[in-house]
Amino acid sequence: MKKLTDKELEIMNVLWENGALSMRDLVEKLPQPQPHFNTVSTFVRRLERSGMVIHKELGARFFLYEAAMTKEKYAEMLNRDSVSKLFAGSYMDFISCLVEQQEVSIDELKELIRMIEDK
């Protein structure tokens, strides 16, 4: 699965937050300045082809669009791909990098350990 562009991710975030939407409702919920209806439609068709969005036909020329994959599943796939490509599949190296860059605090690491122990 390819990484989403910023515009694709913007559309997916609206769908993840709101569930199934008509194209008009989707456009209205996008941040300002709102892109043109046809532009959003083009992005949604591209997202459909990639398997990220599905649509349901409710009537003649009336469709609802929704995410085909949860935000968490997309994040999981993106993270797995990044760790595989950048850290040779080593999550330890990935977390070590975050610690070295001070992106993860000691309290957050303790919380991670607690989560792992609880599973």
Side-chain angles (χ1 to χ4, degrees):
M1 165 128 329
K2 73 174 185 71
K3 182 180 174 190
L4 297 175
T5 67
D6 289 345
K7 292 296 181 191
E8 290 169 336
L9 191 54
E10 205 171 74
I11 290 168
M12 290 304 300
N13 277 322
V14 169
L15 293 173
W16 284 324
E17 291 168 12
N18 297 281
L21 294 170
S22 68
M23 187 63 68
R24 187 167 315 285
D25 290 338
L26 176 58
V27 171
E28 287 176 7
K29 292 188 180 295
L30 287 168
Q32 297 292 333
Q34 289 176 336
H36 190 274
F37 183 93
N38 291 342
T39 302
V40 176
S41 180
T42 298
F43 277 107
V44 169
R45 280 194 309 276
R46 191 179 307 158
L47 287 164
E48 275 192 287
R49 283 193 302 271
S50 71
M52 291 295 296
V53 170
I54 57 173
H55 74 269
K56 297 176 186 173
E57 186 171 0
L58 297 182
R61 300 175 58 93
F62 185 74
F63 302 93
L64 287 182
Y65 299 88
E66 64 183 322
M69 174 184 299
T70 65
K71 187 177 200 174
E72 293 75 19
K73 185 68 177 173
Y74 175 70
E76 177 188 331
M77 291 172 56
L78 197 61
N79 288 335
R80 186 178 295 128
D81 187 53
S82 295
V83 170
S84 174
K85 289 179 180 175
L86 299 172
F87 299 96
S90 171
Y91 282 88
M92 184 64 180
D93 289 348
F94 172 67
I95 293 170
S96 295
C97 179
L98 293 176
V99 170
E100 288 172 18
Q101 295 172 356
Q102 299 178 347
E103 297 290 334
V104 179
S105 70
I106 292 173
D107 289 338
E108 289 170 324
L109 287 172
K110 287 178 183 177
E111 177 65 16
L112 283 172
I113 291 168
R114 187 195 61 73
M115 287 171 59
I116 292 168
E117 289 174 343
D118 288 349
K119 289 199 179 219

